[in-house]
Amino acid sequence: DRIALGTIVNGTGLSARHVKGKFGFASASADASEIFASEGNAVVIGTRHHLHASLVVRGLRAHKQVFVEKPLCLTRDELGQIDEAVSQSKGTVMVGFNRRFAPATLELKKVLETVPGPKSMAYHVFAGPLAPDHWYANVEESGGRVLGEACHMLDYACFVLNTKPVRVTAQTVWPAKGRHPFPDSVTAQVEFNDGSSFQLIYSAEGDFAFPKETFRIFGS
């Protein structure tokens, strides 16, 4: 059965009405308060990143089932607020880390379950250069690409390796002169509690002939 679409909230009334007609929502609004006061039991949050945490907390306080696009939040303080809201809510929160649901991932998990012992995983992302006028280049809204995008790969490693991280070290690479003034490339090394390791190279530098995402896993 199709899920009934209740209220769509967008930045302006005009854009909200456009989405309402396009996808068949019951109503449209430019005020998010209507969502949290409604009788609907689920909320989908797909705003720019700096709004995620506050909207998640409002949804949980309204005891909604909350689905939020990544990242869940941008700061440790926001994460603490969400943890507190979860502990007091009848609702739930799920983050939009979609790679773990890919059919190829499920097949990979089946194979890895037959391989004993710790594993080593390397994930290389060629993200490409970011246009200075892209909203991701506004770090106040996006948190930058490391927080806003690289979290996908870190979640994927936790899921595929089926273990918990215990230590992370990382180095950012500053962009070339003339680009936006914050790092959008990072190399991270993650140690897991079963001895597994994960290395992420998330780079805005490189040749477009190289695949956008590649990863390898080594085991016994």
mmCIF file of all heavy atoms in Angstrom, residues 17-57:
data_model
loop_
_atom_site.group_PDB
_atom_site.id
_atom_site.type_symbol
_atom_site.label_atom_id
_atom_site.label_comp_id
_atom_site.label_asym_id
_atom_site.label_seq_id
_atom_site.Cartn_x
_atom_site.Cartn_y
_atom_site.Cartn_z
ATOM 1 N N ARG A 17 3.661 24.502 -2.391
ATOM 2 C CA ARG A 17 2.484 24.145 -3.189
ATOM 3 C C ARG A 17 2.879 23.404 -4.458
ATOM 4 O O ARG A 17 2.158 22.497 -4.907
ATOM 5 C CB ARG A 17 1.690 25.414 -3.533
ATOM 6 C CG ARG A 17 0.930 25.993 -2.344
ATOM 7 C CD ARG A 17 -0.104 27.021 -2.790
ATOM 8 N NE ARG A 17 0.518 28.169 -3.440
ATOM 9 C CZ ARG A 17 0.966 29.240 -2.800
ATOM 10 N NH1 ARG A 17 0.885 29.289 -1.471
ATOM 11 N NH2 ARG A 17 1.497 30.253 -3.457
ATOM 12 N N HIS A 18 4.027 23.769 -5.030
ATOM 13 C CA HIS A 18 4.498 23.065 -6.225
ATOM 14 C C HIS A 18 4.770 21.591 -5.916
ATOM 15 O O HIS A 18 4.350 20.700 -6.667
ATOM 16 C CB HIS A 18 5.759 23.745 -6.759
ATOM 17 C CG HIS A 18 6.431 22.974 -7.856
ATOM 18 N ND1 HIS A 18 5.916 22.904 -9.139
ATOM 19 C CD2 HIS A 18 7.564 22.219 -7.864
ATOM 20 C CE1 HIS A 18 6.708 22.143 -9.884
ATOM 21 N NE2 HIS A 18 7.710 21.722 -9.135
ATOM 22 N N VAL A 19 5.462 21.333 -4.813
ATOM 23 C CA VAL A 19 5.778 19.950 -4.432
ATOM 24 C C VAL A 19 4.509 19.196 -4.060
ATOM 25 O O VAL A 19 4.359 18.007 -4.369
ATOM 26 C CB VAL A 19 6.790 19.930 -3.269
ATOM 27 C CG1 VAL A 19 7.059 18.498 -2.824
ATOM 28 C CG2 VAL A 19 8.092 20.597 -3.682
ATOM 29 N N LYS A 20 3.577 19.879 -3.396
ATOM 30 C CA LYS A 20 2.295 19.260 -3.039
ATOM 31 C C LYS A 20 1.592 18.725 -4.270
ATOM 32 O O LYS A 20 1.139 17.566 -4.303
ATOM 33 C CB LYS A 20 1.406 20.284 -2.336
ATOM 34 C CG LYS A 20 -0.036 19.830 -2.111
ATOM 35 C CD LYS A 20 -0.865 20.936 -1.486
ATOM 36 C CE LYS A 20 -2.333 20.527 -1.322
ATOM 37 N NZ LYS A 20 -3.028 20.387 -2.620
ATOM 38 N N GLY A 21 1.499 19.546 -5.323
ATOM 39 C CA GLY A 21 0.829 19.110 -6.543
ATOM 40 C C GLY A 21 1.589 18.039 -7.293
ATOM 41 O O GLY A 21 0.981 17.129 -7.865
ATOM 42 N N LYS A 22 2.914 18.129 -7.271
ATOM 43 C CA LYS A 22 3.731 17.178 -8.025
ATOM 44 C C LYS A 22 3.689 15.771 -7.450
ATOM 45 O O LYS A 22 3.643 14.787 -8.188
ATOM 46 C CB LYS A 22 5.173 17.683 -8.083
ATOM 47 C CG LYS A 22 6.105 16.833 -8.929
ATOM 48 C CD LYS A 22 7.493 17.446 -9.021
ATOM 49 C CE LYS A 22 8.410 16.597 -9.892
ATOM 50 N NZ LYS A 22 9.775 17.200 -10.003
ATOM 51 N N PHE A 23 3.695 15.676 -6.112
ATOM 52 C CA PHE A 23 3.795 14.359 -5.480
ATOM 53 C C PHE A 23 2.533 13.916 -4.742
ATOM 54 O O PHE A 23 2.488 12.812 -4.199
ATOM 55 C CB PHE A 23 4.990 14.333 -4.520
ATOM 56 C CG PHE A 23 6.320 14.493 -5.200
ATOM 57 C CD1 PHE A 23 6.990 15.709 -5.162
ATOM 58 C CD2 PHE A 23 6.887 13.445 -5.901
ATOM 59 C CE1 PHE A 23 8.210 15.872 -5.795
ATOM 60 C CE2 PHE A 23 8.106 13.593 -6.539
ATOM 61 C CZ PHE A 23 8.768 14.813 -6.493
ATOM 62 N N GLY A 24 1.519 14.768 -4.700
ATOM 63 C CA GLY A 24 0.253 14.345 -4.122
ATOM 64 C C GLY A 24 0.158 14.434 -2.613
ATOM 65 O O GLY A 24 -0.498 13.589 -1.980
ATOM 66 N N PHE A 25 0.798 15.445 -2.022
ATOM 67 C CA PHE A 25 0.629 15.661 -0.589
ATOM 68 C C PHE A 25 -0.777 16.204 -0.310
ATOM 69 O O PHE A 25 -1.382 16.861 -1.149
ATOM 70 C CB PHE A 25 1.677 16.649 -0.064
ATOM 71 C CG PHE A 25 3.037 16.038 0.126
ATOM 72 C CD1 PHE A 25 3.932 15.943 -0.934
ATOM 73 C CD2 PHE A 25 3.430 15.567 1.373
ATOM 74 C CE1 PHE A 25 5.179 15.384 -0.760
ATOM 75 C CE2 PHE A 25 4.674 15.001 1.559
ATOM 76 C CZ PHE A 25 5.561 14.900 0.491
ATOM 77 N N ALA A 26 -1.263 15.972 0.899
ATOM 78 C CA ALA A 26 -2.600 16.434 1.263
ATOM 79 C C ALA A 26 -2.633 17.943 1.463
ATOM 80 O O ALA A 26 -3.638 18.594 1.180
ATOM 81 C CB ALA A 26 -3.061 15.729 2.545
ATOM 82 N N SER A 27 -1.538 18.520 1.962
ATOM 83 C CA SER A 27 -1.491 19.960 2.201
ATOM 84 C C SER A 27 -0.061 20.461 2.114
ATOM 85 O O SER A 27 0.887 19.665 2.094
ATOM 86 C CB SER A 27 -2.084 20.302 3.579
ATOM 87 O OG SER A 27 -1.344 19.665 4.608
ATOM 88 N N ALA A 28 0.101 21.782 2.060
ATOM 89 C CA ALA A 28 1.412 22.404 1.937
ATOM 90 C C ALA A 28 1.518 23.551 2.917
ATOM 91 O O ALA A 28 0.525 24.209 3.244
ATOM 92 C CB ALA A 28 1.637 22.906 0.515
ATOM 93 N N SER A 29 2.751 23.802 3.396
ATOM 94 C CA SER A 29 2.959 24.870 4.366
ATOM 95 C C SER A 29 4.395 25.361 4.295
ATOM 96 O O SER A 29 5.275 24.677 3.760
ATOM 97 C CB SER A 29 2.654 24.364 5.787
ATOM 98 O OG SER A 29 2.948 25.355 6.748
ATOM 99 N N ALA A 30 4.627 26.547 4.836
ATOM 100 C CA ALA A 30 5.983 27.075 4.986
ATOM 101 C C ALA A 30 6.354 27.140 6.464
ATOM 102 O O ALA A 30 7.376 27.728 6.815
ATOM 103 C CB ALA A 30 6.087 28.459 4.348
ATOM 104 N N ASP A 31 5.568 26.511 7.321
ATOM 105 C CA ASP A 31 5.779 26.536 8.764
ATOM 106 C C ASP A 31 5.913 25.107 9.288
ATOM 107 O O ASP A 31 4.939 24.348 9.306
ATOM 108 C CB ASP A 31 4.617 27.242 9.457
ATOM 109 C CG ASP A 31 4.812 27.351 10.966
ATOM 110 O OD1 ASP A 31 5.877 26.949 11.460
ATOM 111 O OD2 ASP A 31 3.878 27.840 11.637
ATOM 112 N N ALA A 32 7.120 24.738 9.728
ATOM 113 C CA ALA A 32 7.366 23.368 10.186
ATOM 114 C C ALA A 32 6.581 23.021 11.442
ATOM 115 O O ALA A 32 6.363 21.835 11.731
ATOM 116 C CB ALA A 32 8.860 23.172 10.444
ATOM 117 N N SER A 33 6.132 24.016 12.196
ATOM 118 C CA SER A 33 5.381 23.744 13.419
ATOM 119 C C SER A 33 4.126 22.928 13.136
ATOM 120 O O SER A 33 3.676 22.139 13.979
ATOM 121 C CB SER A 33 4.994 25.059 14.107
ATOM 122 O OG SER A 33 6.145 25.769 14.497
ATOM 123 N N GLU A 34 3.556 23.102 11.943
ATOM 124 C CA GLU A 34 2.346 22.353 11.587
ATOM 125 C C GLU A 34 2.614 20.851 11.531
ATOM 126 O O GLU A 34 1.748 20.041 11.864
ATOM 127 C CB GLU A 34 1.807 22.847 10.244
ATOM 128 C CG GLU A 34 1.304 24.276 10.262
ATOM 129 C CD GLU A 34 0.637 24.667 8.951
ATOM 130 O OE1 GLU A 34 0.185 23.750 8.231
ATOM 131 O OE2 GLU A 34 0.569 25.869 8.659
ATOM 132 N N ILE A 35 3.825 20.489 11.103
ATOM 133 C CA ILE A 35 4.191 19.071 11.029
ATOM 134 C C ILE A 35 4.197 18.446 12.418
ATOM 135 O O ILE A 35 3.632 17.374 12.650
ATOM 136 C CB ILE A 35 5.577 18.915 10.384
ATOM 137 C CG1 ILE A 35 5.565 19.353 8.925
ATOM 138 C CG2 ILE A 35 6.073 17.481 10.524
ATOM 139 C CD1 ILE A 35 4.878 18.398 8.004
ATOM 140 N N PHE A 36 4.858 19.123 13.352
ATOM 141 C CA PHE A 36 5.045 18.532 14.676
ATOM 142 C C PHE A 36 3.766 18.569 15.511
ATOM 143 O O PHE A 36 3.632 17.825 16.487
ATOM 144 C CB PHE A 36 6.188 19.250 15.392
ATOM 145 C CG PHE A 36 7.474 19.218 14.610
ATOM 146 C CD1 PHE A 36 8.063 20.386 14.163
ATOM 147 C CD2 PHE A 36 8.074 18.016 14.284
ATOM 148 C CE1 PHE A 36 9.240 20.362 13.417
ATOM 149 C CE2 PHE A 36 9.241 17.960 13.548
ATOM 150 C CZ PHE A 36 9.822 19.137 13.110
ATOM 151 N N ALA A 37 2.814 19.409 15.136
ATOM 152 C CA ALA A 37 1.534 19.466 15.844
ATOM 153 C C ALA A 37 0.483 18.569 15.198
ATOM 154 O O ALA A 37 -0.607 18.406 15.737
ATOM 155 C CB ALA A 37 1.026 20.910 15.875
ATOM 156 N N SER A 38 0.814 17.967 14.052
ATOM 157 C CA SER A 38 -0.165 17.168 13.320
ATOM 158 C C SER A 38 -0.324 15.783 13.949
ATOM 159 O O SER A 38 0.449 15.375 14.817
ATOM 160 C CB SER A 38 0.282 17.003 11.865
ATOM 161 O OG SER A 38 1.417 16.155 11.783
ATOM 162 N N GLU A 39 -1.337 15.056 13.471
ATOM 163 C CA GLU A 39 -1.587 13.710 13.970
ATOM 164 C C GLU A 39 -0.730 12.663 13.258
ATOM 165 O O GLU A 39 -0.700 11.507 13.659
ATOM 166 C CB GLU A 39 -3.060 13.360 13.805
ATOM 167 C CG GLU A 39 -3.995 14.214 14.655
ATOM 168 C CD GLU A 39 -5.441 13.802 14.504
ATOM 169 O OE1 GLU A 39 -5.714 12.880 13.698
ATOM 170 O OE2 GLU A 39 -6.303 14.395 15.176
ATOM 171 N N GLY A 40 -0.058 13.062 12.177
ATOM 172 C CA GLY A 40 0.796 12.117 11.465
ATOM 173 C C GLY A 40 1.881 11.565 12.362
ATOM 174 O O GLY A 40 2.364 12.245 13.270
ATOM 175 N N ASN A 41 2.285 10.310 12.135
ATOM 176 C CA ASN A 41 3.239 9.685 13.056
ATOM 177 C C ASN A 41 4.661 9.608 12.517
ATOM 178 O O ASN A 41 5.559 9.113 13.201
ATOM 179 C CB ASN A 41 2.774 8.276 13.441
ATOM 180 C CG ASN A 41 2.689 7.347 12.248
ATOM 181 O OD1 ASN A 41 2.976 7.735 11.119
ATOM 182 N ND2 ASN A 41 2.284 6.114 12.499
ATOM 183 N N ALA A 42 4.907 10.101 11.300
ATOM 184 C CA ALA A 42 6.251 10.031 10.720
ATOM 185 C C ALA A 42 6.632 11.363 10.099
ATOM 186 O O ALA A 42 5.791 12.064 9.528
ATOM 187 C CB ALA A 42 6.339 8.917 9.679
ATOM 188 N N VAL A 43 7.928 11.705 10.210
ATOM 189 C CA VAL A 43 8.460 12.941 9.657
ATOM 190 C C VAL A 43 9.719 12.618 8.858
ATOM 191 O O VAL A 43 10.586 11.885 9.341
ATOM 192 C CB VAL A 43 8.805 13.951 10.771
ATOM 193 C CG1 VAL A 43 9.444 15.201 10.176
ATOM 194 C CG2 VAL A 43 7.576 14.323 11.574
ATOM 195 N N VAL A 44 9.795 13.153 7.649
ATOM 196 C CA VAL A 44 10.996 13.024 6.822
ATOM 197 C C VAL A 44 11.670 14.392 6.739
ATOM 198 O O VAL A 44 11.032 15.373 6.351
ATOM 199 C CB VAL A 44 10.660 12.517 5.399
ATOM 200 C CG1 VAL A 44 11.921 12.469 4.543
ATOM 201 C CG2 VAL A 44 10.002 11.144 5.467
ATOM 202 N N ILE A 45 12.949 14.455 7.116
ATOM 203 C CA ILE A 45 13.689 15.712 7.136
ATOM 204 C C ILE A 45 14.758 15.688 6.047
ATOM 205 O O ILE A 45 15.659 14.849 6.069
ATOM 206 C CB ILE A 45 14.343 15.940 8.513
ATOM 207 C CG1 ILE A 45 13.264 16.005 9.600
ATOM 208 C CG2 ILE A 45 15.194 17.212 8.516
ATOM 209 C CD1 ILE A 45 13.820 15.977 11.011
ATOM 210 N N GLY A 46 14.624 16.589 5.078
ATOM 211 C CA GLY A 46 15.572 16.650 3.971
ATOM 212 C C GLY A 46 16.049 18.067 3.714
ATOM 213 O O GLY A 46 16.250 18.457 2.566
ATOM 214 N N THR A 47 16.229 18.841 4.781
ATOM 215 C CA THR A 47 16.651 20.232 4.661
ATOM 216 C C THR A 47 18.167 20.322 4.491
ATOM 217 O O THR A 47 18.869 19.306 4.486
ATOM 218 C CB THR A 47 16.266 21.003 5.931
ATOM 219 O OG1 THR A 47 16.971 20.408 7.046
ATOM 220 C CG2 THR A 47 14.778 20.937 6.186
ATOM 221 N N ARG A 48 18.674 21.542 4.420
ATOM 222 C CA ARG A 48 20.116 21.737 4.483
ATOM 223 C C ARG A 48 20.620 21.336 5.876
ATOM 224 O O ARG A 48 19.875 21.378 6.856
ATOM 225 C CB ARG A 48 20.473 23.174 4.115
ATOM 226 C CG ARG A 48 20.118 23.453 2.658
ATOM 227 C CD ARG A 48 20.639 24.761 2.135
ATOM 228 N NE ARG A 48 20.299 24.890 0.712
ATOM 229 C CZ ARG A 48 20.709 25.884 -0.077
ATOM 230 N NH1 ARG A 48 21.470 26.857 0.421
ATOM 231 N NH2 ARG A 48 20.370 25.909 -1.354
ATOM 232 N N HIS A 49 21.869 20.961 5.931
ATOM 233 C CA HIS A 49 22.390 20.221 7.078
ATOM 234 C C HIS A 49 22.301 20.948 8.415
ATOM 235 O O HIS A 49 22.118 20.319 9.458
ATOM 236 C CB HIS A 49 23.846 19.829 6.811
ATOM 237 C CG HIS A 49 24.010 18.984 5.600
ATOM 238 N ND1 HIS A 49 25.228 18.779 4.987
ATOM 239 C CD2 HIS A 49 23.103 18.292 4.860
ATOM 240 C CE1 HIS A 49 25.075 18.004 3.934
ATOM 241 N NE2 HIS A 49 23.786 17.701 3.828
ATOM 242 N N HIS A 50 22.446 22.252 8.431
ATOM 243 C CA HIS A 50 22.478 22.973 9.705
ATOM 244 C C HIS A 50 21.130 22.955 10.420
ATOM 245 O O HIS A 50 21.061 23.284 11.607
ATOM 246 C CB HIS A 50 22.937 24.423 9.480
ATOM 247 C CG HIS A 50 21.976 25.270 8.706
ATOM 248 N ND1 HIS A 50 21.534 24.936 7.438
ATOM 249 C CD2 HIS A 50 21.348 26.444 9.013
ATOM 250 C CE1 HIS A 50 20.691 25.864 6.998
ATOM 251 N NE2 HIS A 50 20.565 26.783 7.938
ATOM 252 N N LEU A 51 20.070 22.540 9.731
ATOM 253 C CA LEU A 51 18.745 22.470 10.340
ATOM 254 C C LEU A 51 18.385 21.070 10.831
ATOM 255 O O LEU A 51 17.383 20.894 11.529
ATOM 256 C CB LEU A 51 17.681 22.939 9.336
ATOM 257 C CG LEU A 51 17.818 24.372 8.813
ATOM 258 C CD1 LEU A 51 16.767 24.644 7.751
ATOM 259 C CD2 LEU A 51 17.696 25.377 9.958
ATOM 260 N N HIS A 52 19.178 20.075 10.470
ATOM 261 C CA HIS A 52 18.822 18.693 10.786
ATOM 262 C C HIS A 52 18.616 18.458 12.279
ATOM 263 O O HIS A 52 17.586 17.923 12.704
ATOM 264 C CB HIS A 52 19.891 17.729 10.260
ATOM 265 C CG HIS A 52 19.836 17.540 8.786
ATOM 266 N ND1 HIS A 52 20.574 16.575 8.125
ATOM 267 C CD2 HIS A 52 19.151 18.197 7.817
ATOM 268 C CE1 HIS A 52 20.337 16.648 6.824
ATOM 269 N NE2 HIS A 52 19.479 17.626 6.619
ATOM 270 N N ALA A 53 19.598 18.842 13.088
ATOM 271 C CA ALA A 53 19.547 18.499 14.512
ATOM 272 C C ALA A 53 18.330 19.098 15.198
ATOM 273 O O ALA A 53 17.614 18.409 15.937
ATOM 274 C CB ALA A 53 20.827 18.965 15.208
ATOM 275 N N SER A 54 18.069 20.380 14.975
ATOM 276 C CA SER A 54 16.945 21.029 15.661
ATOM 277 C C SER A 54 15.613 20.416 15.246
ATOM 278 O O SER A 54 14.703 20.246 16.076
ATOM 279 C CB SER A 54 16.957 22.534 15.383
ATOM 280 O OG SER A 54 16.820 22.802 13.994
ATOM 281 N N LEU A 55 15.478 20.057 13.971
ATOM 282 C CA LEU A 55 14.233 19.458 13.509
ATOM 283 C C LEU A 55 14.072 18.031 14.029
ATOM 284 O O LEU A 55 12.961 17.599 14.358
ATOM 285 C CB LEU A 55 14.178 19.478 11.980
ATOM 286 C CG LEU A 55 14.041 20.869 11.354
ATOM 287 C CD1 LEU A 55 14.189 20.788 9.832
ATOM 288 C CD2 LEU A 55 12.711 21.513 11.724
ATOM 289 N N VAL A 56 15.175 17.288 14.119
ATOM 290 C CA VAL A 56 15.122 15.940 14.688
ATOM 291 C C VAL A 56 14.651 16.002 16.138
ATOM 292 O O VAL A 56 13.772 15.231 16.569
ATOM 293 C CB VAL A 56 16.497 15.253 14.602
ATOM 294 C CG1 VAL A 56 16.537 13.992 15.477
ATOM 295 C CG2 VAL A 56 16.815 14.881 13.163
ATOM 296 N N VAL A 57 15.218 16.926 16.905
ATOM 297 C CA VAL A 57 14.837 17.067 18.312
ATOM 298 C C VAL A 57 13.350 17.425 18.432
ATOM 299 O O VAL A 57 12.624 16.856 19.263
ATOM 300 C CB VAL A 57 15.711 18.132 19.006
ATOM 301 C CG1 VAL A 57 15.143 18.481 20.384
ATOM 302 C CG2 VAL A 57 17.137 17.626 19.141
#
